[in-house]
Amino acid sequence: MIVLKTKEEIELIRKAALLVGKTLAEVGRHIRPGITTRFLDQIGEQFIRDNGGIPLCKGFEGFPAALCISVNDVVVHGIPGDLFLKDGDNVSVDCVIELDGYVGDSAYTFPVGEISPEMQRLMKVTKECLYLGIEKAKPGNRIGDIGHAVQAHAEKNGYGVVRELCGHGVGFKMHESPNVPNYGVKGTGALIKEGLVIAIEPMITMGSKNVKISQSDGWTCRTKDGKPAAHYEHTIAVGANGPEILSSFDFIENKTDKQQ
Ligand code: MG
Ligand code: MG
């Protein structure tokens, strides 16, 4: 069942989502060759707790860390650990925070040092997929319109669209209805209404779309062909006239000094 949110509830979800944006920026400031993903997780968890939030990934179905940190061919759900980042890597940081009972979810793929033009293009197109999907999140459209927009742009650029994982409703809990796939057919799926709050999160691969989940940890999701992937995610609310992005990349990209 899809639970729509009131304007007041959306404002509270926005606060949680903005703390996610600030956390991603704080983690991003520490990303450089030679540090471990565990170190980044510690930075993120400390920042979340210092700001009154709860890192919801920690302990979720046994996930052992505050953040999902996914490097290169790891698409999503990477477990922070002893892996050292190196020049040319990409690193996706995915963060879900509960603040005062409301939940925000956002992810960003960062470059490590100097990255190749191919990696830059993958990251640029994946971010474009996110915003093209968000544009479709308006009253009267359907969930399939979002996935269709993401898929069309990724495939036009020669990239793969992961099928096994998708976006989702969010706000009261980490995962709510509906699922928001990154592929789809226009005009299909649940009707989008004012008050819908969802996380849209394209997971785009440089090679084939096929992924495998690690047998040893049950979490790490990698591309089968070993080629890199990128992942960007925003929490958005559907207003009467269209989508509103509740999370923010502005803290990461230094486009604002707004401190709410
Ligand atoms: Mg997420
Ligand atoms: Mg999510």
Side-chain angles (χ1 to χ4, degrees), residues 94 96 105-106 166-168 170 174-175 199-201 203 231 233:
D94 192 351
V96 187
D105 185 3
S106 181
C166 58
H168 47 89
V170 68
M174 184 157 133
H175 293 129
I200 300 178
E201 51 179 315
M203 298 157 221
H231 175 219
E233 175 178 27

Side-chain angles (χ1 to χ4, degrees), residues 20 32 37 39 43 54 65 86 94 119 122-124 126 135 140 149 156 163 167 178 207 214 224 250:
V20 177
R32 56 185 159 77
T37 54
F39 172 72
I43 296 283
I54 302 167
K86 60 185 192 309
D94 192 351
M119 192 77 98
L122 172 70
M123 290 160 60
K124 175 174 171 283
T126 305
E135 272 179 28
K156 188 177 78 184
R163 301 295 201 273
S214 163
K224 269 192 182 162
D250 290 351

Side-chain angles (χ1 to χ4, degrees), residues 104-146:
D105 185 3
S106 181
Y108 196 90
T109 300
F110 296 87
V112 182
E114 281 295 309
I115 59 169
S116 68
E118 294 76 21
M119 192 77 98
Q120 284 179 29
R121 182 171 167 272
L122 172 70
M123 290 160 60
K124 175 174 171 283
V125 170
T126 305
K127 203 195 286 184
E128 289 166 357
C129 285
L130 169 62
Y131 288 106
L132 289 167
I134 290 171
E135 272 179 28
K136 300 294 177 189
K138 54 188 180 189
N141 277 1
R142 290 182 179 271
I143 291 295
D145 294 316
I146 297 172

